[in-house]
Amino acid sequence: MSRGHTQTSEDPDRAIPWLTTIASLAVGAAFLALWFWLLPSWLGFQVDTTGAARWRWLAAVPSVLGFAVALRCIWDFGWTGRGTPMPLAPPQRLVAVGFYRYVRNPMYVAFFVGWAGLWIIFGRANLFAIASACAAVLAVRLFVMLYEEPTLRKKFGPDYDEYRKNVPRWLPRLRPWHK
């Protein structure tokens, strides 16, 4: 190729990360919107904050940070993994970048922190809501252990095994893991 000459056809492989990232963000946004629509009623969320203690608004900090981390993880699924968080269109590459270098399930941890913050701000603790939240956490744990991890082990083999040995499932490491 001579100097100053530009290539007219775009490399199709360069478009793939953008397309999968956009798809991942769309799936993530739909998932987040669904949970914002469904959860408030059954977790006892109530937007009326008259009489609520002002200290409860401090929980907005971990809530915002939690949802920001979740969005970054969704981005990593699309950009690095070339897939989405949805099992029907999973990542094609093992995602071990960003927050995934600290904990294997940062998206779940981030959503938990985000929702816990919102629950502190807007929620009403009652036995049904607490039991429902505990059941949801247990269901996620079982889903990860019984479906996600075996699926990832089959798909990514020794790379996933090495990742699994070095990065904890739920509690983040203090330093990022580097392969």
Side-chain angles (χ1 to χ4, degrees):
M1 193 179 322
S2 65
R3 187 177 178 161
H5 182 265
T6 58
Q7 191 174 0
T8 56
S9 64
E10 188 175 317
D11 182 10
D13 287 340
R14 293 187 77 168
I16 290 173
W18 284 107
L19 293 173
T20 56
T21 301
I22 290 168
S24 183
L25 289 173
V27 167
F31 180 76
L32 195 59
L34 176 69
W35 284 105
F36 270 102
W37 178 64
L38 288 177
L39 283 181
S41 62
W42 69 269
L43 277 181
F45 281 19
Q46 187 174 17
V47 178
D48 179 23
T49 59
T50 55
R54 289 186 179 181
W55 65 265
R56 291 174 75 173
W57 287 98
L58 291 174
V61 173
S63 185
V64 168
L65 291 175
F67 290 125
V69 166
L71 286 174
R72 170 58 199 260
C73 293
I74 292 167
W75 172 271
D76 288 338
F77 262 55
W79 188 258
T80 302
R82 297 191 177 175
T84 71
M86 190 172 60
L88 297 175
Q92 301 305 305
R93 298 178 179 174
L94 181 62
V95 179
V97 299
F99 293 104
Y100 288 92
R101 296 180 326 156
Y102 294 90
V103 64
R104 289 198 316 257
N105 297 293
M107 200 178 315
Y108 292 123
V109 173
F111 275 122
F112 175 79
V113 170
W115 280 108
L118 286 179
W119 202 359
I120 291 169
I121 296 169
F122 299 117
R124 292 180 177 216
N126 62 48
L127 190 55
F128 175 74
I130 292 169
S132 298
C134 289
V137 168
L138 179 62
V140 167
R141 180 179 170 89
L142 292 173
F143 177 75
V144 166
M145 292 173 61
L146 300 175
Y147 172 76
E148 276 190 358
E149 290 180 351
T151 301
L152 292 169
R153 192 173 295 125
K154 285 179 193 172
K155 186 168 189 167
F156 299 114
D159 288 339
Y160 181 71
D161 287 334
E162 181 183 4
Y163 175 69
R164 191 175 52 83
K165 288 176 188 171
N166 290 287
V167 179
R169 184 184 288 140
W170 302 114
L171 297 175
R173 303 165 45 105
L174 294 177
R175 294 189 186 115
W177 176 67
H178 298 284
K179 184 174 179 181

